[in-house]
């Protein structure tokens, strides 16, 4: 979970912004007509006749003129649709790439339940203790609460998420199992990566290391997490050795929360770079929050970003506040993948949050005070493509072979959608309509 600087020790919050990223403009659109005379098309997966759908009268990425968008076996196709293709009327709506939540904690949520009154907290340890209190007080199990939130995210246009599941003796593996259950139930509509996340610390909480090992062996998680190895766990070498060792032995990724914004943060980042290089984990390591990057000089930032890019170490931000905006443009110059996420949603840490990534792109633009259409489109690109790059699931840019993951919304164009945040009328995942009018199908 994310924390940010405060003026008083009793309050911490998570609102903020993220610098804009690669331009949304310039997307290539693939269209084709639904022609009954087309030859029989085989599934690209080699499993017999392809399932084909034509989304008629849509405007991909805000195109002025509507077209027919053909999907074959879950991917955009530039070929004529085969006979008997299903036809879905888009009614002239915009077709926009679905969004990706690159950092969220669904296991902690109270979404869909009774109101919970929060208590003052002065740091991660206090919040973690309140997490346990909330966990023990909830009548609904983790899987049910997480499913409700994740299903809601789908209806708002989320195609994928990286979900952090708390690992600690207080929970055993209940959070991992709960998220696994929700992931299975939503398999038709949402791609999910699960991080085994030691919120209570890896070394400072006895028994956590063994649970991380068990989670890694189980095959239920995709990433091994860590948290502030110096300032919170106070055992940087021990934590990083354990986390990277588990990832290396079990073929998993690494995703470490790093909130420190001073030399502690840069020291940890340097240690992460060293271990990534030594173990050959290029492309498999993520640093969440990475607040220390915002405090570097231009020369230090260029040097650090170059190292991150060389090893393909990605970063995520949850837009915590204006002072901690990641230098996305500079990171992109060095090939660093940057994802945007929700963080916690209506949990012990905060009453705020809604797992709506369109809303998150809106906040990004609003707090950074962007005005130009290109800047607003950039905000959408961070939410749509940044997490897709980080998770390695492929961008949805309406090109031949791209994943057919998109939303249909009423609107004039991408900038206006970012500002007005219309609810998607239709959500498409792998070529299948999975939500209509705010309801999961």
């Amino acid at each position: 979970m994310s924390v940010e600087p405060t003026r008083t020790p009793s309050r911490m919050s998570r609102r903020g912004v993220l610098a804009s990223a690669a331009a949304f403009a310039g997307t290539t659109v693939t269209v084709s007509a639904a022609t009954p005379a087309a030859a029989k098309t085989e599934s690209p997966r080699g499993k017999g006749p392809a399932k084909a759908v034509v989304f008629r009268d849509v405007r991909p990425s805000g195109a002025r003129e509507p077209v027919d968008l053909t999907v074959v076996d879950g991917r955009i196709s530039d070929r004529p649709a085969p006979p008997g293709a299903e036809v879905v009327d888009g009614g002239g709506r915009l077709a926009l790439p679905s969004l990706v939540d690159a950092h969220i904690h669904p296991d902690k949520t109270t979404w869909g339940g009774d109101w919970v009154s929060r208590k003052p907290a002065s740091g991660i340890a206090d919040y973690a203790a309140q997490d346990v209190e909330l966990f023990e007080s909830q009548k609904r199990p983790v899987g049910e609460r997480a499913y409700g939130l994740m299903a809601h995210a789908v209806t708002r246009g989320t195609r994928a998420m990286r979900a952090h599941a708390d690992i600690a003796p207080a929970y055993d593996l209940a959070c991992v199992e709960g998220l696994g259950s929700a992931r299975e139930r939503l398999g038709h509509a949402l791609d999910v990566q699960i991080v085994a996340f030691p919120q209570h610390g890896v070394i400072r909480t006895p028994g956590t290391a063994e649970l991380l090992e068990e989670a890694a062996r189980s095959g239920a998680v995709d990433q091994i997490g860590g948290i502030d190895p110096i300032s919170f766990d106070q055992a940087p070498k021990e934590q990083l050795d354990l986390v990277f060792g588990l990832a290396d032995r079990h073929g998993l990724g690494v995703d470490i929360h790093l909130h420190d914004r001073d030399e502690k943060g840069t020291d940890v980042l340097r240690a992460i770079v060293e271990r990534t290089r030594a173990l050959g984990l290029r492309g498999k390591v993520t640093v969440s929050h990475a607040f220390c990057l915002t405090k570097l000089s231009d020369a230090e930032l260029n040097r650090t970003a170059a190292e991150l890019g060389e090893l393909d170490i990605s970063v995520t931000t949850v837009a915590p506040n204006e002072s901690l905006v990641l230098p996305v443009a500079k990171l992109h110059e060095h090939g660093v993948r940057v994802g945007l996420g929700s963080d916690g949603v209506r949990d012990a840490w905060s009453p705020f949050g809604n797992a709506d990534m369109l809303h998150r792109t809106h906040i990004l633009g609003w707090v950074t005070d962007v005005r130009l259409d290109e800047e607003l489109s950039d905000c959408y690109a961070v939410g749509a493509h940044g997490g897709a790059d980080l998770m390695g699931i492929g961008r949805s840019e309406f090109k031949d072979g791209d994943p057919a993951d998109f939303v249909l919304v009423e609107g004039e164009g991408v900038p206006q959608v970012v500002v007005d945040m219309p609810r998607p009328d239709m959500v498409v995942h792998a070529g299948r309509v999975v939500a209509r009018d705010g309801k999961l199908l």
Side-chain angles (χ1 to χ4, degrees):
M1 302 290 283
S2 169
V3 294
E4 61 181 271
T6 58
R7 296 182 181 273
T8 63
S10 62
R11 182 180 179 186
M12 297 184 183
S13 62
R14 285 185 307 225
R15 68 184 293 269
V17 303
L18 180 67
S20 60
F24 190 87
T27 297
T28 302
V29 176
T30 299
V31 299
S32 65
T35 52
K40 180 179 179 181
T41 304
E42 291 297 317
S43 165
R45 296 191 178 100
K47 296 181 180 179
K51 179 180 180 181
V53 184
V54 176
F55 292 86
R56 180 155 290 161
D57 192 23
V58 299
R59 296 184 292 126
S61 299
R64 290 183 177 276
E65 298 298 325
V67 298
D68 291 347
L69 190 64
T70 297
V71 175
V72 177
D73 200 32
R75 294 190 175 273
I76 303 298
S77 174
D78 63 358
R79 298 180 180 181
E86 178 185 356
V87 176
V88 177
D89 183 14
R93 292 175 176 80
L94 294 174
L96 301 180
S98 298
L99 297 155
V100 176
D101 195 326
H103 185 104
I104 187 171
H105 295 259
D107 62 323
K108 298 177 184 285
T109 193
T110 63
W111 184 268
D114 296 335
W115 177 257
V116 173
S117 297
R118 279 83 185 169
K119 299 183 299 184
S122 60
I124 293 176
D126 283 354
Y127 284 118
Q130 292 180 22
D131 280 337
V132 177
E133 293 175 9
L134 186 146
F135 174 84
E136 293 175 344
S137 70
Q138 291 295 297
K139 297 179 181 178
R140 297 177 299 151
V142 171
E144 183 179 339
R145 289 184 281 118
Y147 171 81
L149 180 64
M150 293 159 70
H152 169 75
V154 170
T155 68
R156 294 298 297 178
T158 294
R159 63 182 281 222
M161 61 174 54
R162 179 173 287 180
H164 296 258
D166 276 14
I167 294 278
Y171 314 113
D172 199 67
L173 297 181
C175 297
V176 168
E177 293 165 355
L179 289 191
S181 171
R183 172 168 64 178
E184 184 175 357
R185 292 175 67 184
L186 289 166
H188 69 290
L190 184 69
D191 296 329
V192 180
Q193 293 179 355
I194 297 177
V195 182
F197 175 53
Q199 178 72 82
H200 297 188
V202 177
I203 306 302
R204 66 182 282 158
T205 304
T208 300
E210 291 78 9
L211 288 172
L212 286 172
E213 174 77 46
E214 185 177 349
R217 287 200 313 265
S218 73
V221 301
D222 306 282
Q223 311 273 325
I224 297 295
I227 181 169
D228 296 324
I230 296 178
S231 64
F232 185 60
D233 223 9
Q234 299 181 5
K237 183 179 186 303
E238 292 87 345
Q239 182 188 136
L240 293 176
D241 283 351
L242 189 146
V243 168
F244 275 83
L246 286 175
D248 184 42
R249 289 197 302 276
H250 297 281
L252 302 173
V254 172
D255 193 321
I256 295 180
H257 286 52
L258 183 58
H259 303 103
D260 297 319
R261 59 216 60 157
D262 53 15
E263 65 277 0
K264 296 186 186 72
T266 53
D267 286 349
V268 170
L269 198 57
R270 192 173 302 111
I272 288 173
V273 167
E274 292 171 355
R275 283 166 173 77
T276 302
R277 180 179 288 114
L279 293 174
L281 294 179
R282 186 182 189 281
K284 300 186 69 174
V285 176
T286 300
V287 182
S288 292
H289 309 304
F291 294 156
C292 59
L293 291 174
T294 70
K295 308 302 179 182
L296 299 179
S297 67
D298 288 344
E300 291 172 325
L301 177 58
N302 273 308
R303 182 169 59 253
T304 303
E307 287 186 308
L308 296 177
E310 175 196 353
L311 294 170
D312 196 11
I313 297 173
S314 58
V315 295
T316 64
T317 182
V318 299
N321 65 41
E322 188 172 1
S323 69
L324 297 176
V325 172
L326 288 178
V328 177
K330 178 62 66 177
L331 292 168
H332 279 180
E333 285 180 14
H334 293 278
V336 180
R337 295 176 289 162
V338 183
L340 177 66
S342 296
D343 207 3
V345 178
R346 298 191 189 180
D347 53 23
W349 292 60
S350 172
F352 294 101
N354 55 17
D356 182 345
M357 285 302 295
L358 179 56
H359 183 222
R360 186 67 54 166
T361 67
H362 171 96
I363 292 174
L364 191 156
W366 175 46
V367 182
T368 52
D369 195 29
V370 301
R371 297 176 59 251
L372 305 181
D373 284 1
E374 181 180 357
E375 295 170 328
L376 290 164
S377 295
D378 285 350
C379 291
Y380 196 93
V382 176
H385 302 321
D389 292 345
L390 182 143
M391 291 181 64
I393 58 175
R395 293 187 176 194
S396 178
E397 295 181 305
F398 303 105
K399 296 182 295 186
D400 184 46
D402 281 358
D405 293 350
F406 55 88
V407 298
L408 298 184
V409 298
E410 294 282 2
E412 297 178 52
V414 177
Q416 179 258 324
V417 166
V418 170
V419 171
D420 289 345
M421 299 179 292
R423 185 187 71 188
D425 295 318
M426 193 179 302
V427 179
V428 179
H429 184 72
R432 173 181 177 181
V433 179
V434 295
R436 286 181 184 266
D437 303 321
K439 295 186 181 301
L440 184 72
L441 301 180

